[in-house]
Amino acid sequence: MHACALNSCYSKLIFSSKVAQMNLVTCTLLFILLLAHLPIYAKQVIIAKSHVDVETGKLVEQPAIGIVDGKIESIMSQDRLTITDDMDVIDLSEHTLLPGLMDMHVHLTSDANIHGYRRLTSSLPRTTLRGVSFAEKTLLAGFTTVRNVGAPGFADVALRDSINDGEIIGPRMYVAGRSIGVTGGHCDNNLLPYLYQAKGGGVADGPWKAREKVRENIKYGASVIKICATGGVLSKGTKVVAQQLTIQEIKAIVEEAHMRGLTVAAHAHGLDGIKAAIEGGVDSIEHASFADKEAIKMAKARGTYFSMDIYVTEYILGEGEKAGILEESLAKERLVGKTQRRNFKDAVDADVNMVFGSDAGVYPHGDNGKQFSRMVEYGMTPMQAIQSATINPATMLKVESELGSLSVGKLADIIAVKGNPLRDISLLENVHFVMKEGQVFKNGGSD
Ligand code: ARG
């Protein structure tokens, strides 16, 4: 018995050492195969004229940025750099580098030429497919991260997943799925008469129904929550100044979202809705058009972010009618646009946390950067405008350890413009170089 057991143990040993030998051969073969497929360069190095350090608020001259595995591995002065054969050097010596831009209010599935009743003629698949080209335009304009605050039928989730799987190209997307709001509110579909029983996917009345929508959105892939706390410009029959969710509903949504680790963005133009949303604990107020000094003070005290889309008014009033925007919406915009720009200045002066949010989709995707000049015109320094589209959104989304600045250890989302954007902010409308997580998507001017 004993001898027999020993014998079987011995043969097992011989067997496992054979397996080990085979594994060694397979591993070596695999390693050689892998080496043949690896790019020759293990490390990318970008050399540039300067880079914008959004954390110190300074321009740094002659940087060399090393990138390994999609992350920033080193930042040093060019005179300390020794170029070796294993480096892929990207020469941007006439350019200024910035962190990839982040737009906190886009609708990648919306077409700026299709507004009002025209939107009813687009099927969900067609809407999603349009998003494919809009995602590409957005990325190539230098926006490497976006927050998509509302899309029908989880089209934004599909876009995000397709980008993440490398099937299409686009920015990193934080997505809201269906915007949550009350019956007949800004987030509902109010275009058709009763007979058609049209209803927005995110419509919910009452705290528990609203919580259920948050849970459903998360179930189907949302990574942020968007609510409509007041009426809007582009929705039919809503009053921009009127509050639309009760404080109880807002609090329920915020509690549910925060419990699940998601942030909440609240569409709010009117003062009561803005104040209720801040009091209810949302993370950002979208538009914030009628925010008065008191609301600004509340936001400042709570650390609530304002995402004020102060460029879009030009497109709505200029091109809107041709694109199908309703006459009643144009009338609302005439009032909202002017007031919002004034209050933007007050919010900047009061040092409220500000994030760049353009509402692209209402106006053409890829034109996101046009808002920077307006932000400077209405009170920001160029550095503040850049910070609002980099480090501030990263902090708001709680991903500042990965995104938002050119710092060692963060993802290599890097863009470049020709010249100094701190002197001429409009350079951000013409981004020459785009890298997302170490992958180059654009390298060449588009003047
Ligand atoms: N989506 C927004 C709404 O319908 C657009 C508002 C744009 N106007 C503005 N001045 N920001 O309310």
Side-chain angles (χ1 to χ4, degrees):
M1 276 290 285
H2 214 79
C4 197
L6 245 180
N7 205 1
S8 107
C9 186
Y10 183 66
S11 62
K12 261 188 204 149
L13 254 178
I14 294 178
F15 177 73
S16 58
S17 81
K18 268 193 186 147
V19 170
Q21 266 176 18
M22 267 178 63
N23 278 347
L24 195 73
V25 175
T26 327
C27 279
T28 318
L29 274 175
L30 274 176
F31 186 66
I32 293 168
L33 263 175
L34 198 75
L35 269 187
H37 283 86
L38 271 182
I40 310 164
Y41 306 113
K43 177 167 173 170
Q44 295 157 293
V45 177
I46 305 180
I47 55 170
K49 186 167 191 295
S50 57
H51 85 82
V52 180
D53 185 338
V54 295
E55 297 198 82
T56 60
K58 294 211 171 86
L59 197 68
V60 180
E61 300 293 337
Q62 304 289 314
I65 300 191
I67 297 142
V68 175
D69 288 338
K71 283 191 177 167
I72 298 176
E73 192 220 24
S74 59
I75 302 179
M76 60 173 81
S77 167
Q78 273 160 40
D79 32 277
R80 288 188 44 225
L81 176 76
T82 323
I83 296 176
T84 52
D85 285 350
D86 63 343
M87 288 179 185
D88 173 15
V89 180
I90 301 172
D91 184 358
L92 292 166
S93 43
E94 289 175 22
H95 292 76
T96 302
L97 306 179
L98 300 105
L101 301 171
M102 305 173 79
D103 190 336
M104 291 296 100
H105 193 122
V106 301
H107 300 276
L108 284 185
T109 55
S110 298
D111 186 331
N113 297 308
I114 306 177
H115 278 288
Y117 283 92
R118 280 187 214 167
R119 289 225 165 144
L120 295 176
T121 62
S122 240
S123 68
L124 184 58
R126 184 81 176 89
T127 299
T128 314
L129 286 171
R130 279 202 192 94
V132 175
S133 70
F134 297 149
E136 179 171 341
K137 281 195 171 125
T138 304
L139 177 67
L140 298 183
F143 288 81
T144 50
T145 302
V146 298
R147 187 175 60 163
N148 204 80
V149 278
F154 297 100
D156 50 356
V157 170
L159 271 183
R160 176 200 60 194
D161 293 349
S162 189
I163 291 168
N164 289 351
D165 286 349
E167 296 158 356
I168 59 172
I169 70 163
R172 177 178 302 97
M173 290 178 74
Y174 289 86
V175 299
R178 304 155 318 172
S179 304
I180 301 170
V182 302
T183 297
H186 180 65
C187 292
D188 198 356
N189 180 351
N190 310 321
L191 290 165
L192 296 171
Y194 176 71
L195 174 68
Y196 295 92
Q197 294 290 304
K199 190 172 173 170
V203 169
D205 297 297
W208 280 105
K209 288 276 177 215
R211 271 183 196 270
E212 192 182 347
K213 284 290 168 194
V214 174
R215 291 172 182 174
E216 272 179 18
N217 276 355
I218 295 172
K219 174 176 175 181
Y220 294 110
S223 50
V224 295
I225 296 298
K226 158 83 179 296
I227 63 171
C228 288
T230 71
V233 171
L234 300 175
S235 50
K236 183 166 174 257
T238 69
K239 292 192 176 75
V240 275
V241 291
Q243 185 177 335
Q244 287 190 344
L245 283 161
T246 65
I247 184 74
Q248 290 85 355
E249 287 167 327
I250 296 171
K251 280 189 171 160
I253 292 169
V254 170
E255 189 187 67
E256 190 66 37
H258 285 176
M259 189 167 75
R260 304 286 296 271
L262 277 71
T263 54
V264 180
H267 159 106
H269 289 287
L271 191 54
D272 294 344
I274 292 173
K275 286 182 176 170
I278 297 172
E279 199 191 320
V282 305
D283 300 275
S284 70
I285 303 289
E286 307 303 302
H287 314 299
S289 310
F290 293 91
D292 65 359
K293 294 250 158 68
E294 200 190 324
I296 285 172
K297 225 166 140 188
M298 281 172 72
K300 175 77 190 147
R302 285 206 63 144
T304 316
Y305 287 79
F306 277 4
S307 158
M308 299 178 78
D309 49 343
I310 59 169
Y311 171 77
V312 70
T313 185
E314 279 165 48
Y315 182 83
I316 294 178
L317 296 179
E319 310 293 321
E321 202 180 340
K322 268 186 276 163
I325 291 182
L326 308 173
E327 181 42 50
E328 66 163 84
S329 296
L330 297 174
K332 286 193 261 189
E333 184 55 48
R334 279 179 211 114
L335 178 70
V336 168
K338 267 192 240 125
T339 317
Q340 189 189 32
R341 286 180 170 191
R342 252 199 334 266
N343 292 337
F344 175 85
K345 189 165 184 342
D346 285 349
V348 172
D349 290 347
D351 198 26
V352 169
N353 288 332
M354 304 290 276
V355 287
F356 182 101
S358 68
D359 217 351
V362 173
Y363 78 97
H365 296 283
D367 281 357
N368 313 51
K370 287 188 175 175
Q371 183 168 272
F372 283 110
S373 296
R374 293 290 164 270
M375 293 170 111
V376 170
E377 187 182 337
Y378 287 91
M380 279 186 172
T381 63
M383 183 57 87
Q384 280 177 316
I386 292 169
Q387 286 164 332
S388 82
T390 52
I391 192 66
N392 299 6
T395 309
M396 179 183 77
L397 293 172
K398 306 186 200 310
V399 290
E400 71 274 23
S401 61
E402 293 207 303
L403 297 172
S405 64
L406 300 180
S407 313
V408 172
K410 291 199 186 186
L411 297 177
D413 282 10
I414 303 173
I415 63 159
V417 295
K418 207 164 184 180
N420 181 355
L422 298 176
R423 247 181 251 135
D424 177 4
I425 194 73
S426 73
L427 290 174
L428 291 178
E429 293 170 27
N430 190 3
V431 169
H432 284 213
F433 173 85
V434 179
M435 170 184 274
K436 187 183 120 199
E437 243 170 287
Q439 199 180 339
V440 177
F441 289 94
K442 183 179 189 178
N443 192 358
S446 52
D447 302 282

